[in-house]
């Protein structure tokens, strides 16, 4: 049975997939970690506000295998052709309106794939089954956007559907207030889209979250799992569609 989340590296990640339109300050700060930065390409078939978001078009089956939406597959095929990462072309072509843009936006802990299962890409579902992942249905289609993966079985979310669902599972979950995270074009963004692990004990945050009413709870939760918050921008925390870590070994 799978015991590790692909969103948490074993050690330091070899590369990070990040929104191609991420703020220059974020990119420059990430480069200081001497790590490969892989920018996304725009997926013109979905809303402009999420068109560069990694978690809209990519789901890591494991740390070395990615399922990619057919809309942008050729771009990533070229990027990864000489890297030890296996790419699988998804079946579902993404389109503008919900739920046609959520097929790959799946939250993952060590044992569970949390999503609105009716709309999950069928090829993604097939490969997750091969990994021994248990499927958990939630009403929230933007499951990964809504879920920060802190440890293999520890998450933070502001989504009530995901929270209620995970309470019944062996997942440690911190429930926070929604809002207080930027997402241009929308009222607010989500904690999952504003975070990503760069190592086994470091969680990246896209900006400052001091003004979030649950900031102290977040810090306590991170400390519980021996995680350090790495703030990669002096601006307010912003949803950029998750930061996806990759390992080449």
């Amino acid at each position: 049975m799978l015991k590790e989340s692909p969103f948490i590296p074993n050690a330091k990640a070899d590369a990070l997939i990040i929104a191609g339109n991420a703020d220059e300050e974020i990119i420059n700060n990430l480069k200081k970690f001497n790590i490969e930065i892989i920018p996304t390409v725009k997926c013109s078939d979905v809303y402009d506000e999420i068109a560069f978001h990694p978690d809209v078009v990519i789901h890591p089956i494991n740390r070395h295998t990615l399922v990619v939406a057919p809309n942008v597959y050729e771009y990533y095929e070229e990027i990864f052709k000489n890297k030890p990462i296996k790419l699988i072309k998804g079946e579902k072509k993404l389109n503008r309106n919900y739920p046609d843009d959520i097929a790959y936006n799946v939250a993952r802990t060590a044992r569970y794939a949390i999503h609105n299962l009716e709309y999950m890409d069928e090829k993604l579902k097939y490969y997750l089954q091969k990994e021994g992942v248990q499927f958990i249905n939630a009403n929230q289609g933007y499951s990964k956007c809504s879920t920060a993966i802190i440890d293999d079985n520890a998450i933070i979310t502001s989504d009530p559907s995901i929270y209620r669902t995970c309470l019944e599972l062996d997942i440690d979950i911190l429930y926070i207030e929604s809002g207080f995270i930027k997402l241009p074009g929308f009222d607010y963004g989500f904690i999952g889209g504003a975070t990503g692990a760069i190592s086994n004990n470091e969680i990246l945050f896209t900006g400052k979250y001091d003004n979030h009413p649950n900031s102290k709870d977040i810090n306590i939760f991170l400390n519980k799992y021996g995680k350090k918050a790495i703030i990669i921008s002096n601006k307010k925390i912003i949803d950029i569609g998750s930061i996806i870590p990759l390992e080449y070994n």
Side-chain angles (χ1 to χ4, degrees):
M1 179 175 288
L2 189 71
K3 297 185 188 300
E4 300 174 328
S5 168
F7 289 104
I8 304 294
N10 272 314
K12 182 183 175 183
D14 294 299
L16 297 172
I17 302 175
I18 190 166
N21 64 344
D23 188 273
E24 188 176 355
E25 182 185 4
I26 290 175
I27 299 299
N28 289 337
N29 281 330
L30 287 177
K31 287 178 179 177
K32 295 175 185 177
F33 289 95
N34 193 28
I35 195 168
E36 183 178 4
I37 306 300
I38 298 173
T40 61
V41 67
K42 183 177 182 179
C43 178
S44 300
D45 300 298
V46 301
Y47 284 109
D48 278 350
E49 291 85 353
I50 61 171
F52 283 96
H53 284 198
D55 56 22
V56 169
V57 295
I58 296 170
H59 183 82
I61 295 294
N62 52 51
R63 295 189 181 107
H64 309 96
T65 308
L66 305 174
V67 172
V68 180
N71 312 59
V72 292
Y73 181 80
E74 291 181 1
Y75 169 80
Y76 296 99
E77 186 178 40
E78 179 65 23
I79 281 182
F80 289 108
K81 67 180 180 181
N82 296 316
K83 302 182 192 297
I85 298 293
K86 179 182 178 182
L87 291 190
I88 299 167
K89 188 176 184 179
E91 290 182 1
K92 169 67 177 176
K93 185 175 181 182
L94 299 173
N95 287 301
R96 184 174 176 82
N97 294 327
Y98 183 94
D100 289 329
D101 59 350
I102 64 170
Y104 306 94
N105 197 259
V106 181
R108 283 279 301 287
T109 65
R111 293 179 56 194
Y112 304 108
I114 304 160
H115 196 237
N116 190 322
L117 300 178
E118 181 180 354
Y119 302 109
M120 187 188 295
D121 176 68
E122 288 301 320
K123 191 173 285 188
L124 173 56
K125 194 177 291 186
Y126 169 79
Y127 281 98
L128 288 175
Q129 286 173 331
K130 286 187 70 174
E131 291 283 334
V133 176
Q134 184 177 339
F135 295 105
I136 304 298
N137 191 62
N139 290 331
Q140 174 57 262
Y142 297 111
S143 302
K144 178 59 193 77
C145 283
S146 304
T147 308
I149 312 300
I150 302 304
D151 203 43
D152 289 329
N153 286 296
I155 65 175
I156 301 173
T157 190
S158 62
D159 184 79
S161 172
I162 292 174
Y163 176 65
R164 288 192 300 267
T165 299
C166 290
L167 278 177
E168 302 171 7
L169 307 172
D170 56 339
I171 296 174
D172 193 3
I173 180 167
L174 173 64
Y175 186 57
I176 63 173
E177 280 192 49
S178 55
F180 308 95
I181 296 169
K182 284 180 60 179
L183 177 55
F186 290 92
D187 291 340
Y188 56 85
F190 301 96
I191 188 70
T195 54
I198 193 172
S199 73
N200 190 258
N201 58 7
E202 295 168 306
I203 305 294
L204 300 170
F205 287 79
T206 58
K208 295 182 176 180
Y209 58 92
D210 314 53
N211 291 331
H212 196 289
N214 297 107
S215 60
K216 289 183 180 178
D217 301 317
I218 292 170
N219 291 335
I220 290 169
F221 196 73
L222 291 172
N223 188 58
K224 179 179 179 179
Y225 288 94
K227 309 290 181 174
K228 179 182 178 183
I230 306 292
I231 312 299
I232 53 175
S233 168
N234 284 316
K235 299 182 179 72
K236 181 179 178 180
I237 188 170
I238 183 171
D239 184 342
I240 59 172
S242 304
I243 300 168
I244 301 177
L246 299 175
E247 291 181 291
Y248 292 156
N249 299 311

